[in-house]
Amino acid sequence: MAQEVLSALAKGTEPWPNSWKLAQELGLKHDEVVGALKSLEAREYVALEQLRESRFELSAEAARYATEGTPDYRLFSALLARGGRAERAELEQELGAAFKSGLQSGAKRFFTVDKSCLQVLPGLELGEDSDAVLLAQLGRSAFFTGDFTELAAREEVKRLQRRKLFEVKTLNYYQPRRGARFAPTLAVQRADLTAEDLATEAWRDAAQFKSMNLAALGRETAAGGLHPLMKVRSAFRQILLEMGFEEMRTDRFVENSFWNFDALFQPQQHPARDAQDTFFLRTPAATEFVDEELKAYVAAVGEVHERGCANELGESTGWGYAWSGAEARKNVLRTHTTAISSRYLWQMAQELKRTGVFRPRKLFSIDRVYRNEALDATHLAEFHQVEGLIVGRKLGLPHLKSFIRQFYAKIGITQVRFKPAYNPYTEPSMEIFCFHPTLQRNVEIGNSGVFRPEMLAPMGWPADVSVIAWGLSLERPAMIQLGCANIRELSGHRVPVKNVREAPVVTL
Ligand code: PHE
């Protein structure tokens, strides 16, 4: 293409045609000719001067006015035909849709309007529809007809432009002139210098070689990025591992109601077990319990729900309702990772029964949970919980508060507040709040408590073993750390890929 354009120029005499004319002469697209000229310019075969040319482009509406007449003029002439004054309703009936726009643009110019009548301005006669004539003229405008500047300066044209009846289209084009290295044929330039070129001294003829662009940016390297939320997750995980916690396996997003609710002494009528709050599975809708030990435990849990239990700590009356095994078998998307904690606690109680050796433990997990919630700036239907528990002796609120304070201090949140709360499975229970600097208010970042004997006793834990536990938000502290006010910037399908790509793998 560059050679074709170069030959066409070399054949003619200067001044050479501009890029637009050249495109017409060669039967090429203007863009292609401009591309070829620019590459010739880069090699100094030609020098280019950039020029601009404009033309008018009528809107569809204006094109119609140019042939059918403008609505204001049509209204004006209809008025004159009625002796200069007429009822709105009458005119509207005659002109239809044109009446309204004619009224807008013709008022004060051709006629005055009062409540029900239009009245032609004194002294006006029916001349030609000058706007329609002008629009027709603008409609004929093309690049290089030479009338743009004169027309654009006219008051009437400016008035039509304010009414958005046309747009101005601008073309950038180029005037080529002979360049410093002009020649009628394009020399083939080589990109590489060989040993032979050095030996034969061919390198001394610089024109043979492509020049190097030393300012070119290198190709962007695709390095691994980490989703900002996952980065915060790995930081949290690291902190908990350093604090001596073991990680629980959480690869179990579908859970049955038994582990998610019943094992946690959550009564079957509890509103959290409603379809409004929990996603129930259609297939498979229910879990069958087959393991004998497990079946015995399920029965024991049912018993505690119905009638309670007793140990050295005291006596519980239970919830006093007829517990249903079928309800417990229903599958759900886990609503909290406390379901995982209840599984681990039961396993650990089994181990204690088998071995007779009590092992205090500190466990954690960070994974997704699901709730059927209305979404807003701080709520999602799918989010992460930082779950944890400590199994030991004589553990209570002081240990719980101290752990929570320590943990948050490690991620830079030092102003933590506790609020008494209620969970069916913990007593006492506390919600955890901290101040969100971007949202400028306290936000709940977690919930916690001391597991109730009604939960631990049927698992087989002796009364002197106590368990403190918590479920903390991952997203909210992450929002605080990353300074984002809307959770959707951090999680879900609207997270900008750029944020991920630009998040270096190593930080904090
Ligand atoms: N499961 C609770 C929640 O989802 C958190 C929690 C865990 C509370 C353990 C107390 C004990 O909010």
Side-chain angles (χ1 to χ4, degrees), residues 247-263:
E247 191 163 8
M248 295 185 273
R249 278 193 66 161
T250 45
D251 48 354
R252 181 188 282 282
F253 298 93
V254 172
E255 191 50 276
N256 52 58
S257 295
F258 178 75
W259 290 111
N260 196 81
F261 298 121
D262 297 273

Side-chain angles (χ1 to χ4, degrees), residues 279-327:
F279 294 113
F280 283 86
L281 254 72
R282 203 168 288 147
T283 27
T287 299
E288 229 23 84
F289 299 114
V290 281
D291 180 89
E292 286 307 321
E293 267 179 324
L294 178 57
K295 280 208 273 202
Y297 169 54
V298 172
V301 166
E303 176 77 19
V304 173
H305 276 242
E306 289 190 350
R307 281 183 288 279
C309 58
N311 63 15
E312 298 94 281
L313 296 174
E315 217 173 287
S316 163
T317 58
W319 295 116
Y321 70 97
W323 182 82
S324 147
E327 191 60 42

Side-chain angles (χ1 to χ4, degrees), residues 349-361:
Q350 296 297 101
E351 185 190 306
L352 172 61
K353 243 186 269 172
R354 263 198 318 276
T355 61
V357 183
F358 172 63
R359 264 210 301 155
R361 288 183 74 183

Side-chain angles (χ1 to χ4, degrees), residues 117 148 200 215 244 376 457 468 475 489-490:
C117 277
F148 177 81
T200 61
D376 65 22
I468 55 176
E475 279 83 355
E489 286 165 26
L490 190 67

Side-chain angles (χ1 to χ4, degrees), residues 477-499:
M479 283 169 78
I480 294 173
Q481 277 198 332
L482 301 168
C484 88
N486 193 326
I487 202 160
R488 285 166 229 171
E489 286 165 26
L490 190 67
S491 188
H493 63 286
R494 280 202 252 158
V495 174
V497 175
K498 186 168 157 285
N499 289 4

